[in-house]
Amino acid sequence: MEYKNRVADTQIKEQLSCMGAVLIEGTKWCGKTTSAEQHAGSILYMNDPEQEAFNLQMADSQPSFLLEGDTPRLVDEWQMAPKLWDVARFIVDRRKQVGQFIFTGSAVPADTSNIYHSGAGRFAWVKMRPMSLWESGDSNGAISIKALFDGSAPDVCHSIPTDLQRIAYLVCRGGWPGALKLSEKLARKIPYNYIDAVCNTDISKVDGIKRDASFTRRLLRSYARNQGTQVSISAIYQDLVENEGTSLSEDTIASYINALKKIFLIEDVASWNPNIRSKTAIRSSDTRYFVDPSIATASLGLGPNDLMGDLKTFGFLFETMCIRDLKVFAEALNGNVYHYRDKTGLETDAVIHLDNGQYGLIEIKIGGETLINEGAKNLLSLASKIDTTKMKKPSFLMVLTAIGDYALKRPDGVMVVPVSCLKD
């Protein structure tokens, strides 16, 4: 397959220009290795079946040998031999040059007590996810998040013509690079195959603890039913008891969730805590999300037609897709994505907060005038509560929609933007 540029490529290039090594992390099959190969001078594939035993032996006895080669030296799936981290750090210290190594990993090593700390000042981190709609060619990129922060975004522009049926398919297909040149029927098999790999091997391999594949599937279904909500582990436990008949404890469920986070399948969104003029209590629970909406649809056995027949579920899973894209774009701008909810019930689905203090407030709606007006009302209400004597005013307010022929700025200043015209 011809290589398709990713948003993270710019981050990788920039980090190699200022740091000794770069770690690219993210879920399996999202394109980490393919992107890393574009920047590498030489490559070590740790999981090459013909070399794996030799690689592991050398990593234990003479790890520096594996790191020899033209720079940047790519070490793919480095977590198979965590000792390589300290060796690379030592080499970076000795050479005193940037751009020496690229590490890629689809799991967090079992013992990270000292590894990541010892990389401070030598390693930079880049997170990769399944492709955003901009990266997969399903957005024309007419509205850029960067331009919204700069104040240079157009007040009106066209989006890619689409309909709810197409958006439902994109939710079910997901952002897996391997799906792009497949038929719709075959593309939808990829998330199912991904879940099989997670349940049968990956969730146990990540830390060497044997976990039950059948229960993992039930847990994924529960997490899928709770996308976009701030449910507790206790609530997930109750959901499993009521819908899946589980007998496992809350602590066991929490350990499974932690393992799924270590393989980057789960990526919850933390709460945002702005300076508010009132004394309203802000809810601090994380919002539950998968790294890609197709994991939820495959876990529940749903296809595009199922989503079209259940717009409430469709709305939650469309939100998961939008959060995926917003995270891709935010991190390219040195920002993070949060959510906001207070005890009065006022909430906003996403807040992009940059490291320079700028932020934008975003509501996610499938579409329709009623829902768009509701989203705009929430955004304006939250913006009015923020104490702008203690923090900046929001750079933009945006309702992100599934459908729409064009993006526009309303008279009240709220942008209405179809997801098919968004980019970083």
Side-chain angles (χ1 to χ4, degrees):
M1 180 185 297
E2 180 182 350
Y3 180 71
K4 189 175 183 66
N5 286 333
R6 303 292 297 275
V7 169
D9 280 327
T10 299
Q11 296 169 267
I12 296 169
K13 183 178 179 180
E14 289 177 349
Q15 295 289 15
L16 285 170
S17 298
C18 64
M19 298 293 286
V22 174
L23 171 61
I24 307 172
E25 291 184 313
T27 187
K28 287 172 63 173
W29 305 357
C30 75
K32 300 181 302 298
T33 301
T34 304
S35 282
E37 288 169 343
Q38 313 309 307
H39 303 272
S42 62
I43 304 174
L44 168 66
Y45 298 105
M46 283 298 299
N47 61 351
D48 180 347
E50 295 185 358
Q51 295 291 322
E52 183 174 334
F54 172 79
N55 289 340
L56 292 175
Q57 180 181 356
M58 292 302 294
D60 187 56
S61 62
Q62 194 176 343
S64 61
F65 175 81
L66 295 177
L67 297 180
E68 294 177 2
D70 293 340
T71 60
R73 174 75 162 162
L74 167 58
V75 181
D76 189 46
E77 299 296 350
W78 78 277
Q79 76 278 356
M80 296 176 62
K83 185 183 289 188
L84 293 176
W85 180 277
D86 277 337
V87 179
R89 175 192 56 78
F90 179 75
I91 293 173
V92 168
D93 285 346
R94 291 289 299 274
R95 292 179 182 172
K96 301 187 187 305
Q97 295 179 336
V98 299
Q100 296 302 294
F101 299 105
I102 305 171
F103 280 24
T104 67
S106 54
V108 175
D111 182 9
T112 60
S113 57
N114 185 52
I115 288 177
Y116 287 148
H117 174 73
S118 68
R122 293 90 164 183
F123 274 82
W125 278 255
V126 173
K127 177 68 69 67
M128 281 195 71
R129 300 175 176 82
M131 300 175 107
S132 64
L133 295 187
W134 163 242
E135 293 169 299
S136 64
D138 298 292
S139 165
N140 64 11
I143 296 290
S144 133
I145 296 292
K146 183 178 185 300
L148 287 171
F149 277 112
D150 291 345
S152 60
D155 288 346
V156 62
C157 63
H158 289 282
S159 65
I160 292 180
T162 189
D163 55 27
L164 278 183
Q165 186 74 34
R166 174 65 180 173
I167 295 295
Y169 165 70
L170 294 175
V171 168
C172 295
R173 183 202 69 186
W176 310 103
L180 298 190
K181 291 193 175 182
L182 299 178
S183 68
E184 291 194 2
K185 179 180 179 181
L186 293 178
R188 286 178 50 205
K189 290 183 178 294
I190 288 183
Y192 285 90
N193 293 336
Y194 174 81
I195 288 173
D196 286 343
V198 166
C199 296
N200 295 333
T201 61
D202 294 350
I203 193 171
S204 297
K205 189 190 297 184
V206 64
D207 52 14
I209 298 173
K210 179 64 177 175
R211 293 185 172 88
D212 183 75
S214 178
F215 177 74
T216 303
R217 292 180 188 277
R218 296 199 295 273
L219 177 58
L220 292 179
R221 286 197 293 269
S222 178
Y223 228 83
R225 286 191 291 268
N226 286 289
Q227 290 291 282
T229 69
Q230 291 92 44
V231 297
S232 63
I233 297 294
S234 296
I236 291 175
Y237 170 76
Q238 288 300 322
D239 177 77
L240 284 164
V241 169
E242 295 171 7
N243 294 291
E244 306 289 348
T246 186
S247 59
L248 296 181
S249 69
E250 289 186 27
D251 286 345
T252 301
I253 292 169
S255 75
Y256 272 69
I257 290 174
N258 188 51
L260 293 171
K261 289 180 178 179
K262 285 185 175 182
I263 57 176
F264 307 107
L265 183 149
I266 285 175
E267 223 182 33
D268 294 340
V269 171
S271 64
W272 186 57
N273 192 10
N275 290 298
I276 299 293
R277 284 195 293 268
S278 65
K279 297 186 181 297
T280 300
I282 298 171
R283 305 300 190 192
S284 59
S285 300
D286 289 354
T287 305
R288 307 291 181 178
Y289 291 110
F290 288 129
V291 71
D292 191 89
S294 66
I295 299 169
T297 57
S299 295
L300 295 170
L302 301 177
N305 290 337
D306 299 305
L307 296 184
M308 293 297 294
D310 182 354
L311 292 182
K312 183 177 180 180
T313 298
F314 188 178
F316 281 117
L317 301 185
F318 171 67
E319 181 179 316
T320 300
M321 183 174 74
C322 291
I323 293 295
R324 176 201 67 195
D325 287 16
L326 292 173
K327 284 188 173 185
V328 171
F329 302 153
E331 291 189 3
L333 301 173
N334 297 317
N336 290 295
V337 174
Y338 302 93
H339 81 272
Y340 175 88
R341 186 167 187 263
D342 62 34
K343 71 175 184 180
T344 70
L346 178 62
E347 62 183 321
T348 190
D349 297 316
V351 180
I352 297 181
H353 199 122
L354 305 187
D355 61 359
N356 64 4
Q358 286 184 284
Y359 62 94
L361 308 179
I362 303 167
E363 277 281 270
I364 299 169
K365 303 292 182 184
I366 283 185
E369 185 176 356
T370 299
L371 289 177
I372 290 172
N373 286 338
E374 175 188 301
K377 181 180 178 181
N378 284 348
L379 294 170
L380 292 165
S381 179
L382 175 55
S384 71
K385 287 188 172 185
I386 294 172
D387 188 346
T388 54
T389 66
K390 296 182 178 179
M391 63 186 299
K392 297 178 180 180
K393 68 178 183 179
S395 297
F396 63 88
L397 310 177
M398 178 171 68
V399 178
L400 188 58
T401 66
I403 54 174
D405 293 333
Y406 43 83
L408 60 85
K409 179 179 282 189
R410 293 163 37 121
D412 57 15
V414 176
M415 291 290 299
V416 179
V417 181
V419 71
S420 59
C421 64
L422 199 64
K423 70 171 184 178
D424 59 311

